[in-house]
Amino acid sequence: MKTDALRLENVERHYREGEGKLTILSGANFSMASGEMVALVAPSGAGKSTLLHIAGLLERPDGGEVYVNGEGCGSLDDDRRTAMRRDTIGFVYQFHHLLPEFSALENVMLPQMIRGLSKPMAAERAKQLLDYMRIGPRADHRPAELSGGEQQRVAIARAVANTPYVLLADEPTGNLDPKTSGYVFDALTALVRQSGVAALVATHNHELAARMDRAVTIEGGKIVPLDIGLRTAS
């Protein structure tokens, strides 16, 4: 039986609000297979960021369990959770968050070296990823010397540098113009298909969401399917 890359089981998340509590997730269930792209489409305040933080082990749920490649993460201590994030989960945000003092190549090398890979091996993989993202000729440039689309492609390369099982993307094209947004999304899709990583992509862009394998939203604390005229990305 194939193991889901990511599975949330009966996840609960509540926040205190005055004398009461605000429920974001209540008995939420979700699973995603390797190589699958799932769009997370919901209005602001519905809990998209909370869901991504819990799935990415940045935030602990109040109840339920999160499984990454079949391993339950609820009882892990902070050191093990940190190692899981580093080795099995990649993150891409609306803003690239590249380190400004380092080149594009060095930004992609760093997470690999933190994991323990040698500098030559990290550099070789970083070069391969940047070439795949069609930004290889800009590898020696610092972020300030790159366009918004180029910066985001470097951020995507960095997110998959450690060959994660799961890629979590929060509005990865939200800060880009439509043409650049489409180009970056195409690059992200190609990388997901080639690498087999499972990608959960939060977006307000229904056109991009419709190009993924399926879409979900958050309603009443549950994660439910969303029909937006999906078609498989080419």
Side-chain angles (χ1 to χ4, degrees):
M1 184 176 177
K2 190 173 181 179
T3 301
D4 291 320
L6 174 68
R7 179 160 58 94
L8 276 61
E9 192 172 277
N10 298 318
V11 166
E12 302 277 339
R13 190 65 175 113
H14 314 281
Y15 297 99
R16 290 197 175 277
E17 189 177 53
E19 295 298 318
K21 69 177 181 179
L22 175 65
T23 295
I24 303 297
L25 298 173
S26 179
N29 294 287
F30 173 75
S31 63
M32 187 168 57
S34 298
E36 186 178 22
M37 286 189 78
V38 180
L40 173 59
V41 183
S44 298
K48 295 193 301 297
S49 293
T50 295
L51 174 57
L52 291 174
H53 288 171
I54 289 174
L57 309 184
L58 293 168
E59 191 172 327
R60 291 183 184 270
D62 296 310
E65 182 61 288
V66 177
Y67 297 88
V68 178
N69 198 41
E71 182 174 350
C73 301
S75 61
L76 300 179
D77 62 26
D78 289 341
D79 287 345
R80 178 59 183 150
R81 286 170 68 88
T82 298
M84 285 282 287
R85 284 195 302 271
R86 180 193 66 210
D87 297 343
T88 67
I89 303 171
F91 298 89
V92 182
Y93 299 98
Q94 180 174 348
F95 300 97
H96 54 80
H97 295 301
L98 299 175
L99 297 174
E101 65 271 30
F102 294 104
S103 68
L105 184 73
E106 290 166 338
N107 267 278
V108 182
M109 289 172 60
L110 282 171
Q112 302 176 72
M113 294 173 66
I114 291 171
R115 188 179 182 181
L117 210 63
S118 69
K119 187 174 181 179
M121 292 182 69
E124 180 60 28
R125 175 156 173 78
K127 288 171 61 177
Q128 291 174 353
L129 285 168
L130 292 174
D131 284 341
Y132 191 85
M133 299 299 288
R134 299 182 181 179
I135 197 174
R138 309 281 280 169
D140 292 332
H141 289 66
R142 293 185 179 183
E145 301 171 311
L146 303 174
S147 69
E150 288 171 337
Q151 291 171 349
Q152 198 64 318
R153 278 181 279 157
V154 175
I156 292 169
R158 179 184 58 185
V160 300
N162 282 337
T163 319
Y165 297 115
V166 177
L167 179 65
L168 302 173
D170 193 356
E171 298 286 352
T173 63
N175 199 38
L176 305 173
D177 64 79
K179 183 177 180 180
T180 305
S181 173
Y183 191 87
V184 169
F185 181 80
D186 289 343
L188 174 61
T189 301
L191 193 59
V192 168
R193 303 308 184 199
Q194 187 274 337
S195 67
V197 67
L200 179 61
V201 183
T203 181
H204 284 101
N205 189 322
H206 280 225
E207 181 181 347
L208 293 183
R211 296 173 58 189
M212 300 187 219
D213 297 311
R214 59 189 172 99
V216 296
T217 190
I218 302 171
E219 290 182 357
K222 310 290 186 186
I223 303 169
V224 299
L226 179 66
D227 183 3
I228 52 174
L230 298 177
R231 63 178 177 83
T232 303
S234 58

